[in-house]
Amino acid sequence: MTKLTLKPVDTFFFKNHHVTEAGEDTVMESMFPPRPNTIYGALRAAYIHTHTTFDEFVRETDEHVKRWMGTPNQRGEFRLQYCALTYKQDILLPLPLDYQVIEEKKSLKAYPLLLANDEKPSSLQGKWRLASTRREKTKSSQHQYVSLQEWKHAILHEAPISSLISLSKLVVREEKVGIRLDIGSRTAQERLLYRVMQGRFRDDGALAVYIGNGPDFSKVKFARIGGENRPWIIQQSEETFTLWDEKEKKQLAEKIAQTKVAKIIFLSPAIFESGSRPRNFDGEKVTLPNGVTVKWLTAAIGRPELYGGWDIVRHRPKPRKWMVPAGSVIYVEVEEEDISKLLFVANGMHFTDEGAEEGFGFAVIASASKSEEEL
């Protein structure tokens, strides 16, 4: 498997789905990390630019480029597996949203929620809920990250996490002020001042892009990513994203066999047509990409956001769709005969209604405990 390390040459800006117009009261908020399709599209364009021209790409004359990057109307064989944040060369994973973040002595600590039986009357389906035994004031679990090794230890042992890394520790926000230009006269337009929140990494930050299927990127030295087409340097290496080793997978198998409960943890956003539920969820069960059908017990899913973008072929906005954030967790009940099939995708699968080739819905499998005591 190929790994591409992407490092920005300058500050960066990633726009969300909101429409913005230049004006005195306009502030363009930057989102980070970028969505998988942003990285996919930038790498696709960079590869085309390096190996051919965009005119030839439109005419579909280069068979090699066509094989991997497709055509303006069709995808090629290029597949992005997962795009991770790195800090000082350590991979950071999003904090699962079934953790409760609490401030203790001016620092943040995350405690796992408990899967508990709830027989009280409720409009929610099912009897299982995620409960907390703590009463301290809770902070948001979103935009918190954990180093790979600590993340694994906490998930395997359902332990608290004390070394949270917030997004503000990784990225510095810098306000840029600009004036919109008249394209014809190349002069500033009156009353069209705007402000943009740019970002830059603190210390040694980068994006690590794991490619599930793709060509050699060694000749692609940089890609233009995000707003204003800022350049990012590309470094290629051979590395596979592997979360669980065989010993750890055995631990997961033993615990899932004991409890019959597993967790699906999303490391990247997923596009769900029904908001916070995937397309094939029938109200009780859901079928995973590998064909295994499991019973939906409960979930810790962040508030869905609107996903959109600009269709450069048709020159119009793409249809808006719902996207659940990275860190979302689904608890499922697994039949004993399906445990081995489920663990076959423990190191990653794309569980999303669309955009799997772009890296949406990259999720891993973990074990979970449950309490039969009523809330």
Side-chain angles (χ1 to χ4, degrees):
M1 180 178 290
T2 300
K3 172 188 173 184
L4 302 180
T5 300
L6 308 181
K7 294 186 177 182
V9 174
D10 202 344
T11 54
F12 47 78
F13 170 74
F14 296 99
K15 187 180 178 300
N16 56 26
H17 68 277
H18 294 293
V19 176
T20 53
E21 292 289 341
E24 292 180 354
D25 298 326
T26 295
V27 179
M28 299 182 188
E29 293 291 338
S30 175
M31 60 173 288
F32 193 84
R35 292 168 180 157
N37 63 306
T38 299
I39 303 302
Y40 178 90
L43 291 175
R44 187 171 178 238
Y47 189 88
I48 294 169
H49 177 74
T50 301
H51 291 86
T52 185
T53 67
F54 286 102
D55 287 339
E56 291 180 353
F57 173 68
V58 171
R59 293 196 297 267
E60 305 178 23
T61 57
D62 191 314
E63 290 300 323
H64 175 79
V65 171
K66 182 179 178 181
R67 173 196 170 190
W68 291 111
M69 303 305 162
T71 69
N73 296 297
Q74 188 176 1
R75 302 283 189 186
E77 296 180 19
F78 177 42
R79 296 289 184 272
L80 192 152
Q81 184 193 35
Y82 177 49
C83 181
L85 272 173
T86 66
Y87 182 63
K88 296 182 179 179
Q89 299 183 346
D90 286 337
I91 292 177
L92 303 182
L93 299 182
L95 175 70
L97 297 184
D98 61 345
Y99 269 74
Q100 180 183 14
V101 179
I102 293 173
E103 185 173 359
E104 295 182 349
K105 298 179 181 179
K106 297 183 179 181
S107 63
L108 298 180
K109 191 170 182 178
Y111 293 89
L113 299 176
L114 177 67
L115 182 65
N117 192 352
D118 183 5
E119 297 289 353
K120 298 183 179 70
S122 172
S123 60
L124 297 175
Q125 295 180 338
K127 65 178 183 177
W128 295 100
R129 307 285 182 266
L130 291 173
S132 172
T133 58
R134 310 189 68 86
R135 295 295 177 262
E136 296 93 335
K137 186 176 181 180
T138 300
K139 301 287 186 178
S140 174
S141 298
Q142 290 197 20
H143 305 304
Q144 300 288 344
Y145 293 86
V146 187
S147 65
L148 178 63
Q149 292 305 318
E150 184 168 1
W151 192 96
K152 289 175 55 175
H153 178 271
I155 299 302
L156 276 174
H157 300 92
E158 297 181 90
I161 301 174
S162 57
S163 300
L164 294 177
I165 302 173
S166 65
L167 198 57
S168 60
K169 292 181 181 179
L170 301 173
V171 177
V172 180
R173 301 292 186 180
E174 298 178 347
E175 187 175 74
K176 173 188 173 182
V177 178
I179 300 177
R180 182 175 177 178
L181 295 179
D182 184 291
I183 297 177
S185 64
R186 301 295 298 170
T187 58
Q189 297 188 31
E190 292 185 6
R191 303 182 64 82
L192 290 184
L193 179 74
Y194 65 88
R195 291 173 291 165
V196 178
M197 294 303 296
Q198 303 273 10
R200 63 176 174 84
F201 282 120
R202 296 181 188 270
D203 300 323
D204 188 21
L207 296 177
V209 182
Y210 294 89
I211 297 176
N213 187 38
D216 181 11
F217 272 83
S218 60
K219 294 183 180 179
V220 184
K221 301 304 179 184
F222 71 92
R224 296 191 177 277
I225 306 176
E228 300 182 346
N229 290 320
R230 298 292 179 90
W232 289 55
I233 296 172
I234 299 177
Q235 297 175 324
Q236 177 174 293
S237 58
E238 295 303 316
E239 184 179 322
T240 300
F241 180 84
T242 303
L243 185 64
W244 309 117
D245 60 29
E246 291 304 316
K247 181 180 179 181
E248 292 163 339
K249 286 176 67 175
K250 185 178 179 181
Q251 288 180 254
L252 294 176
E254 291 172 352
K255 189 165 186 179
I256 294 174
Q258 178 185 0
T259 65
K260 301 298 187 293
V261 178
K263 293 196 292 187
I264 303 170
I265 306 176
F266 289 85
L267 301 186
S268 70
I271 300 173
F272 287 163
E273 287 187 357
S274 303
S276 59
R277 299 292 186 267
R279 180 192 300 143
N280 62 12
F281 177 58
D282 64 5
E284 181 183 8
K285 296 183 178 181
V286 64
T287 301
L288 304 181
N290 64 341
V292 175
T293 298
V294 292
K295 183 179 180 181
W296 184 298
L297 298 180
T298 190
I301 293 178
R303 179 175 296 178
E305 302 174 357
L306 279 175
Y307 158 75
W310 184 259
D311 191 327
I312 61 174
V313 176
R314 297 171 179 82
H315 301 288
R316 64 186 184 191
K318 294 179 180 178
R320 297 294 191 255
K321 298 182 181 173
W322 290 113
M323 179 184 70
V324 299
S328 296
V329 183
I330 301 173
Y331 283 71
V332 297
E333 187 175 85
V334 188
E335 298 293 338
E336 186 172 356
E337 61 268 21
D338 290 329
I339 294 176
S340 60
K341 297 178 185 177
L342 185 66
L343 289 175
F344 185 75
V345 293
N347 277 313
M349 62 179 175
H350 290 102
F351 186 16
T352 181
D353 288 344
E354 66 176 75
E357 72 280 357
E358 296 178 320
F360 279 103
F362 184 70
V364 297
I365 304 298
S367 56
S369 298
K370 64 179 179 180
S371 172
E372 296 292 344
E373 297 181 4
E374 291 192 18
L375 293 174

